[in-house]
Amino acid sequence: MEQYEPERLSAPQLAAMRRSIQDGRGALTRRSLLRASGAAALALGGVGALSACGIPPAARAGDAAASDDHSAAEKRINFSNWTEYMDVGEDEKSRPTLDAFTRRTGIEVKYTEDINDNVEFFGKIKPQLAAGQDTGRDLVIVTDWLAARIIRLGWAQKLDHANLPHAFANLSAQFRTPDWDPGRAYSYPWTGIPTVIAYNEKATGGRKVDSVTQLLDDPKLKGKVSFLSEMRDSVGMTLLDMGKDPGSFSDADFDAAVGRMQKGVDTKQIRRFTGNDYTADLSKGDIAACVAWAGDIIQLQADNPAIKFSIPSAGYITSSDNMLIPAKARHKTNAEKLMDYYYEPPVAARLAAYINYVCPVDGVAGELAKIDASMASNTLILPDRAMAAKSRSFRSLSAEEETAYEEKFAKLIGA
């Protein structure tokens, strides 16, 4: 039997991966929106790189055979998550929501913060998944592009929605139908990650900045605008501004969006493309307005009231982190119970109050207000209906598209 061997990365894919890990989402702390970009996904191998030992091709989503479920006899769950992505008690040791789950159900949770980067984590579990072995984890949280890959390869277990009544009922509409998991057959979001427009009110002279058009065309912002060095964020926001859907765009649409930003580079309207380092410049006013990650803005606003954000009328890009049950996990039903537990509004509110990301659970506002009224009114944590309706996701890409698009984007940003 041949060993599963992923296809090699193209030069643009490697460059995008390094960019993300060194100074993009992948370089940030959990409280500052850490993410390796979708480009880094291709470090894990192309969609169609399969071996003779029967690894299912990408087209056969969710073909993983159901493992024997030992949940009834073994009251435990092995849960892998990112750092600082779970509420912690005042003693800085206890985990109130997890502890309450154990008291209610009798299910012990071995909680491990062993995910620091999507690429690195997948490298840990890929050999077992490819060999049809238990990874030792019953529940993992990974970013949407990696969730899509795991599902396509047949390495995630299909969920039993009878065990997920709260999740099924309370999942926010904006997260219900990702193109990589329609109907959420294999995953539920842990949190959402919005890309918005941010600006320093002092640097703009009190003017609001609320569109990519304004970023690219307003002469008063010339030389004080930045875009992100993550392709999906910057191209996605530009596509929306041009009236195109990031979920269904063509090659020509992509080229037009890149050309739109190229004009901004040529005229020096755009100061630079950045990773998370835009935050210092935005706070100082060296950057007046930019495409930004919402988690950063929540933190900047705590120290600088001049920092504002806006949601363009054309819409904004949202990605997500998602709960998955790996193939061969021993405690599937127990894991589903824990997934469902975090969709109960009081529990979801406690989690959202700690991690400060978009909560994907409807009906949380009242519960969150009991904890912190300012959080309950913050649309970067609880999008209102109008904001949620403007949320769009960047569509899944083939390996060929990834290579071509990253090459063009790298040329644009001078990477």
Side-chain angles (χ1 to χ4, degrees), residues 192-237:
I193 307 166
T195 301
V196 299
I197 290 177
Y199 59 100
N200 184 319
E201 200 170 41
K202 289 184 178 179
T204 66
R207 292 181 304 116
K208 183 178 183 180
V209 181
D210 59 5
S211 72
V212 170
T213 291
Q214 194 173 354
L215 291 177
L216 291 173
D217 295 342
D218 187 343
K220 293 182 179 179
L221 298 177
K222 185 173 182 178
K224 304 189 78 174
V225 168
S226 68
F227 279 67
L228 293 168
S229 57
E230 300 280 2
M231 179 186 71
R232 284 163 175 77
D233 296 298
S234 289
V235 174
M237 292 291 281

Side-chain angles (χ1 to χ4, degrees), residues 76 87 99 120 137 154 181 215 325 330-331 341 354 389:
R76 60 178 179 268
D87 56 299
D99 295 343
E120 178 188 57
R137 299 167 175 85
D181 187 17
L215 291 177
I325 300 175
R330 288 179 61 87
H331 310 109
Y341 170 73
Y354 185 82

Side-chain angles (χ1 to χ4, degrees), residues 286-306:
D286 293 340
I287 292 293
C290 59
V291 176
W293 290 309
D296 292 334
I297 304 312
I298 293 173
Q299 295 173 69
L300 289 177
Q301 288 178 325
D303 298 320
N304 187 344

Side-chain angles (χ1 to χ4, degrees), residues 341-389:
Y341 170 73
Y342 278 100
Y343 273 78
E344 297 179 18
V347 180
R350 178 64 187 258
L351 181 66
Y354 185 82
I355 66 175
N356 294 173
Y357 288 86
V358 167
C359 180
V361 182
D362 280 341
V364 169
E367 296 293 337
L368 190 55
K370 297 175 185 177
I371 302 170
D372 188 324
S374 65
M375 288 186 182
S377 62
N378 190 333
T379 54
L380 294 181
I381 297 174
L382 293 183
D384 56 24
R385 185 170 298 180
M387 179 173 168

Side-chain angles (χ1 to χ4, degrees), residues 133-179:
Q133 299 172 353
D134 180 10
T135 66
R137 299 167 175 85
D138 302 301
L139 188 64
V140 301
I141 294 179
V142 293
T143 305
D144 43 19
W145 61 263
L146 180 53
R149 178 172 295 276
I150 291 172
I151 292 168
R152 286 197 305 263
L153 289 170
W155 293 344
Q157 295 198 50
K158 192 170 185 178
L159 301 174
D160 181 351
H161 287 279
N163 294 327
L164 295 156
H166 295 97
F168 185 81
N170 296 334
L171 176 61
S172 298
Q174 74 181 97
F175 296 104
R176 284 190 176 270
T177 56
D179 67 352

Side-chain angles (χ1 to χ4, degrees), residues 144-145 178-180 230-240 245-249 254 257 316-319 391-397 401-402 405-406:
D144 43 19
W145 61 263
D179 67 352
W180 47 269
E230 300 280 2
M231 179 186 71
R232 284 163 175 77
D233 296 298
S234 289
V235 174
M237 292 291 281
T238 305
L239 284 168
L240 283 167
D245 183 358
S248 61
F249 63 89
F254 181 91
Y316 65 102
I317 295 292
T318 299
S319 56
S391 172
R392 298 291 183 271
S393 297
F394 200 94
R395 70 171 173 83
S396 300
L397 301 177
E401 287 177 320
E402 186 86 37
Y405 292 173
E406 285 292 358

